[in-house]
Amino acid sequence: MSVRNIIVTGGAGFIGNHVVRLFVNKYPDYRIINVDKLTYAGNLANLSDIEGRPNYTFVRADICDFDRMLALMKEYEVDGIIHLAAESHVDRSIKDPFTFARTNVLGTLSLLQAARIYWESRPEGYEGKRFHHVSTDEVYGALEMNGEFFLETTKYNPHSPYSASKASSDHFVRAFHDTYGMPTVVTNCSNNYGPYQFPEKLIPLFINNIRHGKPLPVYGKGENVRDWLYVEDHARAIDTVFHLGKTADTYNIGGFNEWRNIDLIKVVIRTVDRLLGRPEGHSDHLITYVTDRAGHDLRYAIDSTKLKNELGWEPSLQFEEGIERTVRWYLDHQQWLDDITSGEYEKYYESMYSNR
């Protein structure tokens, strides 16, 4: 019998596949159930290296389908949930806020209710259970350029439909602890980067565009500042908080690694050009300044001191090493990128699951 049966939602996505892989490899006596709808950002090719493992199961399902979530809780006798499934692209949320509200708010509520009903039906109740909700630093709003950081106690002030939907889901998670006593924990992370990120996001998009000589669209003057966290470090932090974090507590996860967008882009350009054997400055002309995004927050910066002091986690990579690894990975996996940008991977899944 498995020591733990853990559902990871959104496990075929960017951060999710790293969490699934870490848990499958690190905990062979756990059963990891990857629940993913396989929307445009979900790709099972991200997990091809572990798909045959005996402690790994994939289930294609929509977290908004409450009956299905409750059935999965019962079928796999789930005692832990790591909830990563979310719509996460700000530009898409501006164009289609309803989808973000449905997935991020109602999907989270569906999972919470399914977990509550199942766990309360068990003789042991909530003992040994955990609902870990993975959120974002964007719920805190924006910071001025004065050196302040987001703390776990920072007041919520979301500015986009995406961040508003995540803020709402955070509140539901905390409400289920306060109302029902559900053992929950929330983590809020900064911008992630690394292998398997869907190429609508800045770093993989720009790597791919540099490779093909396409424009690099930069919002405004490129002065917006973000804190960047290597995705494998984030997965380690989730592992740490899931097992050791205090119930009903919140932990910020950041890279202590702030960059202005334009400076980050220039590092990416230099790295890609060097690894492709091009002279320095070869792709600088691709930078193209475009009209700034509506409601574009100036600066995000996470203070992860609490996580470091209480649970012993800290980032393992310096940014230069992380970017080098990331760029090399995308250049070495050009077929993966081409399948994504062509849409071939979506056609494959639709044919695979159309008769199920």
Side-chain angles (χ1 to χ4, degrees), residues 89-100 160-162 219 294:
H89 195 253
V90 175
D91 287 349
R92 288 179 183 262
S93 80
I94 293 170
K95 295 176 181 176
D96 180 16
F98 286 103
T99 294
F100 282 69
S160 71
Y162 162 60
Y219 282 126

Side-chain angles (χ1 to χ4, degrees), residues 4 79-83 108-109 111-113 115-116 119-120 126-134 169-187 241-251 306:
R4 300 207 69 162
D79 54 35
I81 296 175
I82 301 175
H83 177 35
T108 300
L109 180 56
L111 278 169
L112 286 164
Q113 185 72 341
R116 181 183 75 83
W119 289 341
E120 288 183 353
Y126 286 128
E127 183 180 352
K129 311 297 192 299
R130 169 143 288 185
F131 190 107
H132 182 159
H133 178 61
V134 179
S169 66
D170 293 6
H171 289 319
F172 267 109
V173 172
R174 295 187 177 104
F176 265 65
H177 170 267
D178 294 348
T179 303
Y180 306 109
M182 181 180 287
T184 62
V185 67
V186 175
T187 52
V241 173
F242 179 81
H243 287 98
L244 302 176
K246 295 179 185 176
T247 295
D249 215 340
T250 299
Y251 297 88
K306 175 180 175 180

Side-chain angles (χ1 to χ4, degrees), residues 242-304:
F242 179 81
H243 287 98
L244 302 176
K246 295 179 185 176
T247 295
D249 215 340
T250 299
Y251 297 88
N252 282 346
I253 307 172
F256 294 104
N257 179 42
E258 291 184 61
W259 286 79
R260 289 195 313 159
N261 283 348
I262 190 61
D263 296 329
L264 169 76
I265 290 161
K266 289 178 179 178
V267 170
V268 172
I269 291 172
R270 287 198 302 271
T271 306
V272 174
D273 280 345
R274 173 171 54 81
L275 292 177
L276 289 177
R278 299 170 177 172
E280 184 171 345
H282 176 83
S283 300
D284 288 349
H285 70 284
L286 298 175
I287 294 175
T288 305
Y289 294 97
V290 299
T291 302
D292 206 358
R293 166 196 289 161
H296 199 180
D297 292 332
L298 180 61
R299 173 174 170 257
Y300 302 147
I302 281 274
D303 187 336
S304 299

Side-chain angles (χ1 to χ4, degrees), residues 151-164:
L151 303 172
E152 287 81 359
T153 54
T154 299
K155 182 180 177 181
Y156 275 29
N157 188 26
H159 292 156
S160 71
Y162 162 60
S163 56

